[in-house]
Amino acid sequence: MTLRIGVIGTGAIGQEHIARLHGKLVGSTVTAVNDINPEGARAAAEKLCPGASVHESGQALIDDPNVDAVVVASWGPSHEEFVLAAIAAGKPVFCEKPLATTAEACQRIVEAEIAGGRPLVQVGFMRRYDAGYRMLKEIVASGQIGEPLLLHCAHRNPSVPAHYVGDMGITDTFIHEIDVLRWLVNDDYVSAQVIQGKRSRHALNGLDDPYIVVLKTKSGVVIDTEIFVNCQFGYDIQCQIVGEDGTANLPEPATVPMRKNQIAGQAIMMDWKLRFIDSYDVEFQDWVNATLAGRVDGPTAWDGYFAAVTSDACVEAKRTGQIVPIETRAKPAFYN
Ligand code: NAD
Ligand code: ISE
């Protein structure tokens, strides 16, 4: 059986996902697309999934009888509307991160999914599917480095586009660490603190850049993460776990060591699309397989809600300079 998918949002990641869902992966095809920029949607369909319907609205795409499941890859503020509409139509929906831009909006999605009575929502936290993070998780779980005590992480982008403003360093960038680090150490967060760095001259649009976020978990693990989205030199993701008996680092992506022009070294990637390309493929193949089997196996709406509560606390901590508690509702049995 083939899963017929409609994709809302045909920008950077929408096009990446269309290409993998229409031709690269097994068991899926893209039958419909939509974007608020209709020209962009038409061009993406022609190039990547010829013959797919180009709908004038996200709702029309969701209502299309030739769409079995929906992928939401539009801007964050539009996610809630489309995920709720897919739930109302009883269609499985994969939503790119963030699930929604506030914890209240994520809570509405959680409540709608529970009221519908069956799991339908998966959130695009693809780092859980990355081979490097999976190896790190296995090392933690095996006890080889003892209990994790501290984590030192960094999320660096060479630069960001003009529409990247305000607290997107947390809501759009750090949200990846918020999800994957909690999954890695199998613990939830209890507090957040943000320490501003000296502002880079490359930080435009009034952006604060760089800064450090410190999260503390229930069991006492302290996690510091540098967010630096104008670092210039590359797309650089770091994660070191300090355990009772040793340390473990996220492996660097495999690139060829070279010696040239008096330098011995390895190239650093510049583009997030390439850094996690394999994990997107694994993530979507897993989603297609589970959806065809009537399940959600990946990060759930509850994970999206938890990330949003944490992200809200980080934004508050950044604004106030205080240590802000992270308090969520009790996890519904539906997500156990
Ligand atoms: P983008 O700006 O390149 O593309 C977004 C597209 O959505 C644009 O074409 C825009 O016209 C369209 N759009 C916006 N609002 C819409 C609406 N109401 N209805 C229909 N179309 C709408 O952005 P992007 O980099 O592709 O990011 C899209 C989403 O994917 C964001 O939520 C972002 O956080 C997420 N993202 C995830 C990853 C990841 O690694 N998982 C990487 C990049 C982006
Ligand atoms: C982007 O949306 C992503 O998800 C990238 O992984 C992240 O590095 C970047 O900062 C975000 O804007």
Side-chain angles (χ1 to χ4, degrees), residues 26 39 85 115 160 190 227-228 232 235 261 273-274 277 280 332:
V26 178
E39 283 311 309
V160 283
V190 292
I227 319 278
F228 189 12
Q232 309 295 301
Y235 186 81
N261 297 338
K273 291 189 208 82
L274 298 176
I277 193 161
Y280 294 121

Side-chain angles (χ1 to χ4, degrees), residues 13 96-97 126-127 155-157 160-161 164 168 172-176 229 235 237 272 276 280:
I13 206 156
E96 259 309 336
K97 44 67 56 172
M126 80 299 178
R127 289 200 194 172
H155 189 149
R156 303 187 182 114
N157 290 187
V160 283
Y164 187 104
M168 284 178 76
D172 202 56
T173 298
F174 183 55
I175 194 98
H176 283 297
V229 296
Y235 186 81
I237 305 298
W272 52 260
F276 288 107
Y280 294 121

Side-chain angles (χ1 to χ4, degrees), residues 157 159-165 205 207:
N157 290 187
S159 61
V160 283
H163 67 76
Y164 187 104
V165 289
N205 304 324
L207 214 60

Side-chain angles (χ1 to χ4, degrees), residues 33-102:
V33 296
N34 157 259
D35 197 289
I36 40 163
N37 167 9
E39 283 311 309
R42 256 189 295 279
E46 264 171 40
K47 188 170 113 198
L48 302 167
C49 51
S53 308
V54 180
H55 287 288
E56 63 188 18
S57 69
Q59 185 66 57
L61 176 145
I62 291 165
D63 293 339
D64 184 339
N66 290 317
V67 167
D68 304 317
V70 178
V71 169
V72 178
S74 48
W75 294 321
S78 63
H79 290 182
E80 179 189 9
E81 176 192 345
F82 297 134
V83 174
L84 287 176
I87 294 172
K91 295 192 179 181
V93 52
F94 178 103
C95 181
E96 259 309 336
K97 44 67 56 172
L99 175 58
T101 46
T102 64

